[in-house]
Amino acid sequence: MRHGFLLKLTTPVMRFLVFLRLFLAAKVIAAIKPAARGATETSAMLSTATPAAPSPTVSFPPVGTIPRDFSPQGFEELWSLVGPVEPPPFTTTREPQLPITVPSPPPALYPTWYAPQPSNIFPNLSLPEGFIFGVATSAYQVEGATKMEGKGPTIWDWASRQPGFILDNTTADVTDLQYYLYKEDAARAAAIGITAHSFSISWARIYPFGVAGSPLNQQGLDHYSDLIDYHLSVGIEPVVTLFHWDTPLALVAYYGGFTSPQIVYDFVNYAITIFQSFNGRIKTWYTFNEPSVICDLITGFPFNTFIAPGVNSSTGSYQCAFNLLNAHAGAVKAFREMGISGEISYKNDDVIGIPWRSNSSEDMAAVERHASFGLGLFADPVYTGDWPQIVKDTLPESYLPRFTDQQMADLKGSADFFAIDAYSTLYIKAPPDGVTTCQNNMSDPTWPSCNVVVPYDSKAGWAAGSISDPATSWLEATPQLLREYLKQLQERWPSNKMVRLNIPAWIWADDVLMQYISEFGMDEPFASLRTEMYQILNDVTTTNYYMTYLGEALLAIHEDGIPLMGTFSWSMIDNAEWFHGLEPK
């Protein structure tokens, strides 16, 4: 099957659904890579996973005690904090053998009377012109080549070696080795009709020491420049995320990373370097991936080893949110002042949620608190200019710094579109003693958000949707809730910014905020136990997940007026999973 076949199908919806079938069938191609089948990456998994108990042997030099030595010796001293690194099995960029051989579509999973073929699903509905079918990855999870070509260490290079942190005790030193295999990956993606790849750049590959004024690693810039050019050459749109949780280790050693306001200047410096280097070749930019996750993680084991002086585990996540949002605003301000082409935003995560008991005012109040302390903690400042009122009413300034008038002005409108990692939707209920009691009681285990996430209904205990692998307990397939989810987002964070995308006027007006599903995906139950290729390829739960989510997304556009312009499946390839590692769970 030739590259470009999918682009010649007769209707956008047929392309939409046949792409899915080929995407699932193409797992046979991905299987030859040195990757493990891991859990789907998402913020909820990270926030609910329970790593092993911390070990007293974990240590890190006190924050601020490591000198800013930018010499080769200083570089090696930073890496000595990590320890030995596994070298890659090869160190040259592999050229793909073209044309790519694409596997045939899988046979029908069900009788046609039970489930229609893709071409018969919504045959009279069309997708907006320019709709994106993308896949997503992150640098730490897929690149490997951890210490190659001048890259500095990151907090995950260090953390993955701490006793009891990664469940299988593996590292991402090699993982998929996409650093050298990106051309094969891009060519294979293009062959099955994928139109975009959302990837992250490793800050430590560009500035090994992280800080402004430290040496720039030209090899890192050259690598990503070639990666971008190759994607464009095969018809894959490159979508760039500046930061996907892999903070340079030097920054936490020097001043505590995102728990210190010093991070703002250094991030903006890094962002400007990337903007200048790749301007004109990137149309869609993200500053941060799922900021709530990294801000939650850095106050727990083992990252709490390097919290900035004057900050503690109770206040750290809120100080992080404050600093990260100011870094985002600073980068976007520079982006616009520099006249960089394209549009910029950040990747949201989490859900607003559904009241567990529909007739309960307590559960409705809990939903509002969940929305405010989750999505709203970052979306409200970016789209409306300040923290959610519920958050300000609950947290004193000693916990949550307040924005100045200038900071609020810089934040408001600092996103050109709304991107959401929309894996699943769950129920929300009030804590046992009620919302009011909780919000006035700092010792309540659910304070300050004062809500409880529930994966089953209140009537008979039915799961919210199809269950994923037990190791990913938070993830349930809830396509029936997707449309309401997208409507909630559009209602809460609208925008009157003019959109520069080529959207047909018959779908929606010019003054709405475009949406992207920047990540979604499913973790096939017990997939890690399968050993034969024919077993691995037959991901029925995942197939149903994508078919139903994409179908509901199409209806959301036509029946609900949702300005959805693209979806990005997680992930392009199996990867190093943050807590789980490489081995079967």
Side-chain angles (χ1 to χ4, degrees), residues 355-359 363 427 454 456-463:
W356 192 52
R357 296 161 294 191
S358 59
N359 60 347
D363 287 356
Y427 300 104
V454 189
Y456 51 86
D457 70 23
S458 61
K459 298 175 182 177
W462 291 106

Side-chain angles (χ1 to χ4, degrees), residues 19 26 94 421:
F19 149 78
R94 184 174 293 173
D421 291 357

Side-chain angles (χ1 to χ4, degrees), residues 549-564:
Y549 267 69
L550 291 172
E552 288 295 283
L554 184 62
L555 291 176
I557 293 171
H558 282 270
E559 297 188 5
D560 305 327
I562 300 299
L564 184 65

Side-chain angles (χ1 to χ4, degrees), residues 159-194:
S160 64
R161 289 165 165 79
Q162 303 315 304
F165 182 59
I166 303 298
L167 294 182
D168 63 8
N169 295 314
T170 61
T171 73
D173 288 358
V174 176
T175 187
D176 298 289
L177 207 58
Q178 193 179 78
Y179 190 78
Y180 296 118
L181 296 175
Y182 62 88
K183 291 185 177 181
E184 286 191 347
D185 290 340
R188 288 167 175 164
I192 62 171
I194 290 168

